[in-house]
Amino acid sequence: MKAAIYSRKSKFTGKGESIQNQIELCKEYAQKHFNIDEFLVYEDEGFSGGNVDRPEFQRLIKDVKKKKFNILICYRLDRISRNISDFSSTMELLEENDISFVSIKEQFDTSTPMGRAMMYISSVFAQLERETIAERIRDNMYQLARSGRWLGGKTPTGYKSEAIIYHDENLVKRKAYKLAPISKELELVKKIYNKYLEFQSLTKLESWTLENGITTKNRNNFDKSALKLILTNPVYCIADDIIYEYFQNLNADVAAPLFDFDNKHGLMVFNKHNQKKKTKVVRKDESEWIIAVGKHEGIIASRDWIKVQNILNKNSSKAPRAGTGKYGLVTRLLRCNNCGSKMRVSYKTVNGEVKNYYYRCLLKERSRKSKCDIPNVNGKVVDDLIVNEIKKLAFDENKLYKELARKKDNIKHLTKSHESEKNRLQKELKKYEESINNLTMQLAKNANSTASKYIIQQIEALDNKITDIKKKINNMDEVQESTLLEQMNLELVESSIRKFATDFENLTIDEQKKILEQIIDSITWDGEKIEINIFCQK
């Protein structure tokens, strides 16, 4: 069994609950209560428990996700965090990864039934806190929504943020913000709406912007997602009784009375998206939106705005997902060498039956050849060529397997080298830790003498050396993990090539695509030839 010990102290001292004292106490507890084979120690000195932005704690969290140990031990609960929400999140993560938690001061041990009960109580209180905070945020949002003010963030195309000064009920001068128009950009927004109503297609609208050299305010080419963002934003819609009824029917939270929908101002929407850390922004259902009337003027008639939403929804339900058809083995791998765009499958049909298919550059298609004019390539010819080349690799021992063997030998040599260096560093680390233990004992005997000052300086110098060595060991561990992952990838490529060669005819097209994606890094078409890049040949 492996145990992790986490210790934290805001300021260095050799007395009381020092880092070293915490670690020793945790080790003593572990040896009495568990059968521990190895200890992993994480030390944060000089960091507050008010947040989780601590280097060793972050390393601990990474190792939890990798399930590097079976139990986490700390001296006191607040060593993990002084924030109940952060503490609860850590506990949830440990539970998800089947790792027990022990706090020796409070006798909090989740490897026991009582400890698990305490964990449950802790999670209930944390959930209550989260729900209370969410409710408070929603209440504040609702009150702010009534004011129609701009609450900050990236302004929509056609508007800028402008300060307005007002006096509150106590005649205190306050500052708020509203959206102010940028005439040239708003004219473009009107054109985009009109053209979409004409084309009724995001693809055609995108092509129109590319052909006419129309760009975003950051001078980038418009793509379908950027255009859709403009077309679905209620900020441009004129507030009137029709749009009021529209959002009422969607069960949206309309924060303004009907008489505020004055057929002049635009709309403001709050609580539109759900954004989580390190994940994409997800649009919430309209029933969760808070709708208010803004202080800016709207530019799109409500009937037109609603018509655009209906067309978008209708087209969205019909749109196929890329790379999921029964034609085009390498759709997700093939790119245009001229412009770097993806290449998609297009079909030639006769009487509704597919007679042939081609790979076409997406940018060429979107811009109607104005941005890229690379020739199309016959899809069946490309797919057959790639299948035959992969099959050849499976039986060409001299070409592929020598390369795989060479890379495996390199990995083996690198692993031995790392292990030797890591052993050397661990011996050096042990020597410095013993020196600190000796100095700590001297400090306890000479706490009130002038020598204590110099002993602490020596301890701090050794502690810096220990920190440096631990960083080196951690870096080596990360390199080692990366190396092992590379070895697994090489073995996966080798087995995938063999499986592809022997079982190809018995696989479904989805299985064929998946195996090709495990073998091939990328495929490019330059107008004359196809280039295949295998993972192990990089």
Side-chain angles (χ1 to χ4, degrees):
M1 178 184 278
K2 286 186 180 180
I5 294 174
Y6 179 74
S7 60
R8 179 188 63 77
K9 197 166 182 69
S10 300
K11 187 178 179 183
F12 175 80
T13 173
K15 300 177 183 178
E17 297 165 5
S18 70
I19 289 281
Q20 201 59 39
N21 289 347
Q22 290 177 43
I23 293 168
E24 291 305 318
L25 288 166
C26 289
K27 282 184 176 179
E28 286 175 16
Y29 183 92
Q31 286 160 353
K32 285 180 183 176
H33 296 83
F34 303 100
N35 185 23
I36 304 298
D37 301 315
E38 183 183 347
F39 286 103
L40 303 176
V41 179
Y42 305 82
E43 306 171 29
D44 276 317
E45 183 114 30
F47 288 91
S48 165
N51 60 59
V52 293
D53 188 18
R54 294 166 254 146
E56 283 293 278
F57 185 80
Q58 289 303 317
R59 185 168 73 88
L60 168 73
I61 294 299
K62 285 181 183 177
D63 289 350
V64 167
K65 293 173 182 176
K66 294 173 185 175
K67 299 185 178 181
K68 281 194 171 183
F69 48 85
N70 311 100
I71 185 168
L72 172 61
I73 305 172
C74 69
Y75 176 66
R76 278 207 324 251
L77 289 175
D78 63 2
R79 300 302 87 191
I80 297 294
S81 178
R82 293 184 184 276
N83 180 295
I84 187 170
S85 182
D86 289 338
F87 176 77
S88 178
S89 297
T90 305
M91 293 300 104
E92 286 172 8
L93 185 65
L94 291 172
E95 190 173 17
E96 285 169 13
N97 289 278
D98 198 26
I99 295 173
S100 299
F101 173 71
V102 171
S103 174
I104 62 177
K105 188 76 172 177
E106 292 88 355
Q107 294 293 296
F108 191 103
D109 182 352
T110 63
S111 65
T112 66
M114 182 59 74
R116 285 190 290 274
M118 288 182 68
M119 171 80 82
Y120 175 73
I121 293 166
S122 170
S123 67
V124 168
F125 277 104
Q127 180 63 27
L128 178 64
E129 183 190 38
R130 282 195 291 268
E131 290 175 0
T132 303
I133 290 169
E135 187 176 345
R136 195 181 305 133
I137 289 169
R138 185 173 177 82
D139 289 345
N140 290 340
M141 195 181 293
Y142 192 87
Q143 291 304 316
L144 290 170
R146 289 182 177 278
S147 68
R149 68 177 71 178
W150 174 250
L151 298 182
K154 186 178 179 181
T155 54
T157 300
Y159 296 101
K160 61 183 177 181
S161 178
E162 186 179 86
I164 51 175
I165 306 299
Y166 70 99
H167 291 84
D168 64 15
E169 64 274 11
N170 298 317
L171 299 179
V172 176
K173 188 183 285 188
R174 301 284 186 189
K175 184 189 283 188
Y177 293 87
K178 70 169 186 174
L179 293 176
I182 302 172
S183 300
K184 188 177 178 182
E185 289 183 12
L186 285 179
E187 286 303 315
L188 174 59
V189 171
K190 287 179 185 177
K191 278 186 184 178
I192 287 172
Y193 271 84
N194 289 334
K195 284 293 178 182
Y196 184 73
L197 288 169
E198 177 187 336
F199 298 139
Q200 299 198 11
S201 162
L202 279 173
T203 301
K204 290 179 180 178
L205 180 63
E206 181 186 49
S207 297
W208 172 77
T209 62
L210 290 167
E211 285 175 33
N212 291 277
I214 296 169
T215 59
T216 68
K217 58 183 177 181
N218 296 324
R219 303 197 178 280
N220 297 321
N221 289 330
F222 272 107
D223 59 20
K224 285 187 281 191
S225 61
L227 291 167
K228 189 175 181 181
L229 202 61
I230 290 173
L231 292 170
T232 55
N233 197 336
V235 75
Y236 305 111
C237 182
I238 296 170
D240 61 11
D241 55 346
I242 296 171
I243 200 68
Y244 176 87
E245 194 68 30
Y246 174 81
F247 280 113
Q248 286 280 16
N249 289 336
L250 290 173
N251 294 318
D253 193 348
V254 181
L258 179 57
F259 59 76
D260 279 355
F261 287 71
D262 57 5
N263 205 29
K264 177 183 177 183
H265 289 93
L267 298 178
M268 297 291 288
V269 180
F270 301 84
N271 204 38
K272 186 179 177 183
H273 295 108
N274 185 18
Q275 185 169 10
K276 296 181 179 179
K277 289 181 181 178
K278 298 182 181 178
T279 60
K280 65 180 181 179
V281 177
V282 179
R283 176 179 158 124
K284 291 185 177 181
D285 186 78
E286 286 89 342
S287 62
E288 298 185 61
W289 293 7
I290 299 174
I291 309 294
V293 178
K295 297 188 179 297
H296 65 286
E297 292 189 5
I299 60 167
I300 305 298
S302 61
R303 289 182 188 276
D304 288 339
W305 191 86
I306 292 169
K307 194 182 294 183
V308 165
Q309 309 316 303
N310 291 338
I311 297 168
L312 284 168
N313 290 335
K314 182 181 176 183
N315 290 348
S316 177
S317 63
K318 295 189 297 183
R321 288 183 296 142
T324 57
K326 62 179 182 177
Y327 297 97
L329 269 178
V330 294
T331 312
R332 294 192 287 254
L333 295 167
L334 185 59
R335 289 192 175 267
C336 169
N337 197 53
N338 281 9
C339 65
S341 289
K342 293 178 181 178
M343 297 189 71
R344 80 173 190 89
V345 176
S346 63
Y347 308 96
K348 185 176 181 180
T349 58
V350 177
N351 298 325
E353 184 180 346
V354 175
K355 291 295 183 183
N356 213 338
Y357 63 96
Y358 299 86
Y359 289 111
R360 298 179 63 185
C361 170
L362 197 56
L363 182 60
K364 172 187 173 180
E365 184 178 41
R366 286 164 51 204
S367 67
R368 295 177 188 172
K369 300 184 181 180
S370 65
K371 300 288 183 182
C372 183
D373 195 19
I374 197 168
N376 298 341
V377 59
N378 187 296
K380 189 173 188 312
V381 170
V382 170
D383 288 354
D384 288 346
L385 170 71
I386 288 165
V387 168
N388 290 332
E389 287 299 314
I390 299 301
K391 284 183 176 180
K392 282 181 193 176
L393 284 175
F395 303 106
D396 190 352
E397 301 281 338
N398 291 328
K399 188 175 182 180
L400 173 71
Y401 296 105
K402 278 187 177 179
E403 178 70 9
L404 287 169
R406 184 185 66 81
K407 290 209 168 193
K408 286 180 182 177
D409 284 343
N410 287 344
I411 289 170
K412 190 176 180 181
H413 176 74
L414 187 62
T415 302
K416 282 184 178 179
S417 174
H418 279 176
E419 285 176 358
S420 175
E421 177 63 10
K422 186 177 176 181
N423 287 336
R424 186 190 69 79
L425 288 171
Q426 285 175 335
K427 286 178 183 177
E428 197 172 339
L429 179 66
K430 188 176 180 181
K431 182 181 75 175
Y432 289 142
E433 285 176 341
E434 287 173 355
S435 296
I436 283 185
N437 284 337
N438 293 332
L439 287 168
T440 303
M441 291 174 65
Q442 290 181 39
L443 184 62
K445 294 175 183 177
N446 299 279
N448 298 318
S449 75
T450 53
S452 63
K453 175 184 173 182
Y454 302 102
I455 295 171
I456 289 174
Q457 287 176 354
Q458 289 179 54
I459 291 173
E460 288 176 340
L462 287 169
D463 189 60
N464 289 335
K465 288 181 179 180
I466 287 172
T467 302
D468 289 340
I469 290 172
K470 284 183 176 179
K471 282 180 182 177
K472 288 178 183 177
I473 291 173
N474 290 339
N475 289 338
M476 291 183 72
D477 286 342
E478 288 177 7
V479 170
Q480 181 74 4
E481 285 176 17
S482 176
T483 304
L484 290 172
L485 185 61
E486 186 182 353
Q487 184 173 344
M488 288 170 63
N489 286 338
L490 290 173
E491 290 167 357
L492 178 63
V493 168
E494 186 176 355
S495 64
S496 295
I497 289 172
R498 292 189 188 279
K499 182 176 177 62
F500 189 86
T502 55
D503 300 342
F504 177 77
E505 281 74 16
N506 300 322
L507 300 172
T508 66
I509 188 165
D510 285 337
E511 289 170 337
Q512 290 170 0
K513 286 179 180 180
K514 284 177 183 175
I515 291 181
L516 282 174
E517 286 165 18
Q518 290 170 350
I519 299 167
I520 299 171
D521 179 38
S522 64
I523 306 169
T524 54
W525 164 245
D526 66 2
E528 294 182 359
K529 64 180 183 295
I530 287 285
E531 183 174 310
I532 308 169
N533 297 304
I534 306 295
F535 273 114
C536 66
Q537 294 176 332
K538 287 169 69 178

